[in-house]
Amino acid sequence: MLTLSAAVIGSAVSLVSVLVTQRFTQQVHRREQDRIERHRHEDLARARASRLLEERQAAYVRFSAAARITRDALAACMHDMRRAGTLEETRREELKQRWDTYVAQHAETHIIASSDVLGVVGRVNGALRKIYGLVKRLDSGSQNPGDSVDALEDRIDDLWPSLVALREAMRCDLDLQQSAEQSAS
């Protein structure tokens, strides 16, 4: 009887041991799967943040370039007006093309720019819109009081500090985003 009891107890201990080992193995496997999943999510988040940073940088470059090219086109209009009093049709077409490109880049930048950069973007946009409006009025002959080629030149010259501030705000924003991305790694 003692041997039978010992055999039953031994079998029960073996069975419990197998169940405990199996449960422990399942818990280890589940923890490992959770860790793998967590790392996968972290990798995806890092890749997304990196992609967004690259997209923001590209949008900033396109907007800055479009603003400067538009400024140059407006300055060329000023020189034409100073020389001839009006714009040639090719200059009008060039200005329209530059302006349309600028407007599209401005819209894109509004979607992707940080709040800190949007303020500077708004100042540049406001200045460019005023200059563009002045060029259009001077070219059409429907000037407002104070509109002149000299006033146009002053506004174009006054735009440079805003363009420099725009560049610096964009650089600062990209540096902050890159630092945040690196510290998250």
Side-chain angles (χ1 to χ4, degrees):
M1 181 82 169
L2 190 56
T3 27
L4 184 60
S5 297
V8 169
I9 291 174
S11 295
V13 167
S14 293
L15 184 59
V16 169
S17 174
V18 166
L19 291 174
V20 167
T21 302
Q22 182 181 12
R23 180 124 168 107
F24 178 74
T25 303
Q26 287 173 342
Q27 286 177 349
V28 167
H29 179 72
R30 190 174 333 117
R31 274 186 255 151
E32 182 63 18
Q33 291 301 322
D34 290 346
R35 186 186 67 76
I36 290 170
E37 189 65 18
R38 188 176 61 251
H39 284 294
R40 189 177 73 74
H41 284 295
E42 290 169 359
D43 290 345
L44 288 172
R46 269 193 299 278
R48 182 176 186 276
S50 180
R51 189 179 71 252
L52 289 174
L53 179 63
E54 289 171 6
E55 289 173 6
R56 183 175 285 181
Q57 180 180 17
Y60 283 176
V61 167
R62 286 189 299 272
F63 178 72
S64 181
R68 288 173 183 268
I69 289 169
T70 301
R71 183 249 174 233
D72 292 346
L74 291 164
C77 290
M78 175 197 64
H79 293 300
D80 287 358
M81 286 181 182
R82 192 173 299 285
R83 189 183 69 254
T86 187
L87 298 179
E88 294 178 11
E89 190 57 36
T90 56
R91 182 69 74 193
R92 281 187 199 101
E93 289 173 17
E94 176 192 7
L95 179 60
K96 181 179 179 351
Q97 178 188 12
R98 300 284 189 243
W99 186 254
D100 290 347
T101 300
Y102 166 76
V103 169
Q105 292 307 149
H106 178 260
E108 178 188 10
T109 301
H110 251 272
I111 291 170
I112 202 163
S114 71
S115 298
D116 295 335
V117 173
L118 282 176
V120 183
V121 167
R123 285 191 295 278
V124 167
N125 185 56
L128 281 171
R129 285 190 175 283
K130 287 177 182 175
I131 295 168
Y132 181 75
L134 179 54
V135 166
K136 298 297 273 182
R137 287 191 307 275
L138 290 171
D139 185 43
S140 70
S142 59
Q143 294 96 324
N144 292 335
D147 286 354
S148 68
V149 176
D150 289 336
L152 177 60
E153 184 175 8
D154 290 343
R155 286 188 181 182
I156 290 172
D157 288 345
D158 291 345
L159 182 61
W160 276 116
S162 295
L163 291 172
V164 170
L166 174 69
R167 182 187 67 218
E168 293 306 313
M170 289 176 171
R171 283 180 177 171
C172 183
D173 182 50
L174 291 171
D175 286 346
L176 289 174
Q177 294 297 318
Q178 192 171 22
S179 295
E181 184 181 308
Q182 288 172 349
S183 63
S185 296

